[in-house]
Amino acid sequence: MARLSKLLGPDGNPIDYDDVFGPPKAGPTLTGVRSPISGHPADGLTPTRLASIHRAAATGNPLAWLELAEDIEERDPHYLSVLGTRRRSVAQLPITIEAASDDDEHVRHADFLREWLKEGVLELALFDILDAIGKGFSVTEIEWESTPEAVLPKCLDYRPQRWFEFDQVDGETVVLAEGVTREPLSPHKFIVHRHKAKSGLTIRSGLARVASWAWMYKAFTAKDWAIFTQNYGMPTRVGKFDRAASDADKKVLWQAVANIAGDCAAIIPAEMEIEFVSVEKGTGTPGQLYERRVDWFDRQISKLVLGQTTTTDAVSGGHAVAQEHRLVQEDLERADAKLLSASLTKQLVQLVIAL
């Protein structure tokens, strides 16, 4: 293929064809830093350790934080559900293309892009690009294909955020992790979509940073709830013996109560008494306190991700409340779509037209 050395990209710089059509820049490696195998910092997570993970991410070491954000999605069905709802609500929207003007050249550009959209390459990638909603940013590598008719993206490959870092000077420029070095991203090979839930550094702006606290405390409650259910979910068997019972008699009694099933069994002298005291006043029946706390955390996560709770939980208020809450979700949908549109127009569409 002939090299067009003077072809300029949208940024005004010459396009390096070896860079565009070369091998993947950020693919997985067997022995390097871009391993497909991720760590699991959520194991045994404590408030102190979570705070240290957040601080490390904010000061230039985001690996553990990005692994944790992925961990939370895998361990919390509610968070995965509401985050998936928000991402899919945008990913399934119809894609429209408008010509930059009525100029014949611009109209031809728009028609060219509409034809490419029919291949489905972009639609398949939208859900992964919107992973930025949870983690603050996403990175997609463009695999270009050259044919006699055109140069077009053949595939848009999702790259895990944990394979990237941020420039130590500005804290915002995404760079590729290469051992102890950091390599700038090629402007013709990557789409970096940023989706900030709040102003500030990108690494601190993802929804997962807030959700991680709710998930951790909810996990504590779920663990306590499981212990409570195990201990009090079945009757405790108590076998009583009198003082004249021999050790052999006690052994037979213990085998009898232990073999009835479960672990909650005991033997005591007939004259003794065991009382199980439960705190019910102000908390409802035993076990309800755990359920209410877990439900409360789920509602907070729904508010965080979807801006409301009615579309995920049945609450009193009827159809009118549900309609109002759905309007809130639609506001987020439009805002998300506009951010995505801006990233794709600037980093993909202009480059497709240039090539």
Side-chain angles (χ1 to χ4, degrees), residues 4 63 68 92 110 169 171 212 216 219 248 269 288 306 328 341 348 352:
L4 304 178
L63 177 60
L68 176 63
Q92 55 81 38
V169 176
S212 61
M216 180 184 64
Q288 278 191 344
L306 299 178
V328 173
S341 176
L348 178 65
V352 169

Side-chain angles (χ1 to χ4, degrees), residues 87 95 203 239 275 307 339:
R87 291 166 65 179
I95 303 173
I203 194 61
E275 181 180 3
L339 286 175

Side-chain angles (χ1 to χ4, degrees), residues 11-333:
D11 56 3
N13 295 319
I15 293 178
D16 184 346
Y17 271 75
D18 292 329
D19 180 50
V20 171
F21 297 106
K25 299 286 186 180
T29 58
L30 291 175
T31 58
V33 295
R34 295 191 299 278
S35 171
I37 301 174
S38 171
H40 296 280
D43 294 342
L45 191 65
T46 63
T48 300
R49 189 154 155 260
L50 178 57
S52 67
I53 290 174
H54 282 181
R55 281 194 296 269
T59 54
N61 186 15
L63 177 60
W65 153 241
L66 293 169
E67 290 177 334
L68 176 63
E70 189 172 356
D71 251 358
I72 296 173
E73 291 184 40
E74 295 177 352
R75 299 186 185 212
D76 191 334
H78 185 78
Y79 178 63
L80 178 64
S81 174
V82 293
L83 187 61
T85 296
R86 182 162 172 181
R87 291 166 65 179
R88 288 183 179 90
S89 68
V90 177
Q92 55 81 38
L93 292 175
I95 303 173
T96 59
I97 295 176
E98 296 179 3
S101 72
D102 294 332
D103 184 83
D104 290 343
E105 187 74 2
H106 290 164
V107 172
R108 189 172 68 86
H109 292 166
D111 292 338
F112 176 74
L113 287 169
R114 292 188 187 103
E115 284 299 312
W116 173 69
L117 278 180
K118 295 177 182 178
E119 298 181 13
V121 174
L122 180 58
E123 284 186 329
L124 290 174
L126 290 181
F127 182 80
D128 287 334
I129 295 174
L130 288 164
D131 191 38
I133 294 175
K135 301 179 180 71
F137 75 105
S138 66
V139 182
T140 305
E141 185 166 4
I142 307 171
E143 181 181 344
W144 294 96
E145 181 181 43
S146 177
T147 68
E149 291 79 23
V151 175
L152 287 168
K154 177 183 178 181
C155 185
L156 300 175
D157 295 318
Y158 168 78
R159 300 304 186 195
Q161 290 92 328
R162 52 190 167 84
W163 294 351
F164 300 86
E165 296 180 3
F166 287 88
D167 181 77
Q168 294 293 295
V169 176
D170 61 23
E172 279 293 297
T173 303
V174 178
V175 293
L176 181 63
E178 286 285 1
V180 295
T181 64
R182 296 176 176 85
E183 181 180 317
L185 299 185
S186 166
H188 312 126
K189 291 283 285 185
F190 293 95
I191 302 169
V192 178
H193 177 53
R194 301 174 193 265
H195 197 289
K196 294 186 176 184
K198 71 177 190 66
S199 301
L201 291 175
T202 298
I203 194 61
R204 299 181 63 176
S205 64
L207 294 179
R209 190 175 178 93
V210 180
S212 61
W213 291 102
W215 172 81
M216 180 184 64
Y217 289 120
K218 176 182 164 184
F220 291 162
T221 303
K223 180 179 179 181
D224 294 339
W225 193 3
I227 295 172
F228 176 87
T229 302
Q230 184 178 14
N231 289 337
Y232 298 101
M234 62 181 66
T236 301
R237 287 95 58 212
V238 179
K240 296 184 178 181
F241 58 87
D242 59 38
R243 294 187 180 278
S246 64
D247 289 341
D249 293 334
K250 295 176 184 178
K251 184 176 181 180
V252 171
L253 179 60
W254 170 250
Q255 290 176 342
V257 297
N259 290 334
I260 292 176
D263 297 327
C264 298
I267 59 174
I268 61 173
E271 296 83 1
M272 295 183 66
E273 180 180 344
I274 296 178
E275 181 180 3
F276 295 90
V277 180
S278 62
V279 180
E280 298 184 18
K281 187 175 181 180
T283 63
T285 59
Q288 278 191 344
L289 182 62
Y290 300 103
E291 184 177 4
R292 286 206 295 263
R293 192 164 192 251
V294 167
D295 286 343
W296 184 85
F297 279 123
D298 279 347
R299 290 196 301 273
Q300 305 316 301
I301 290 177
S302 293
K303 294 175 187 176
L304 171 69
V305 179
L306 299 178
Q308 42 78 35
T309 60
T310 303
T311 60
T312 57
D313 301 286
V315 296
S316 60
H319 181 71
V321 173
Q323 288 291 96
E324 290 294 327
H325 283 212
R326 175 56 186 151
L327 291 176
V328 173
Q329 188 174 347
E330 289 176 354
D331 288 343
L332 291 176
E333 183 180 284

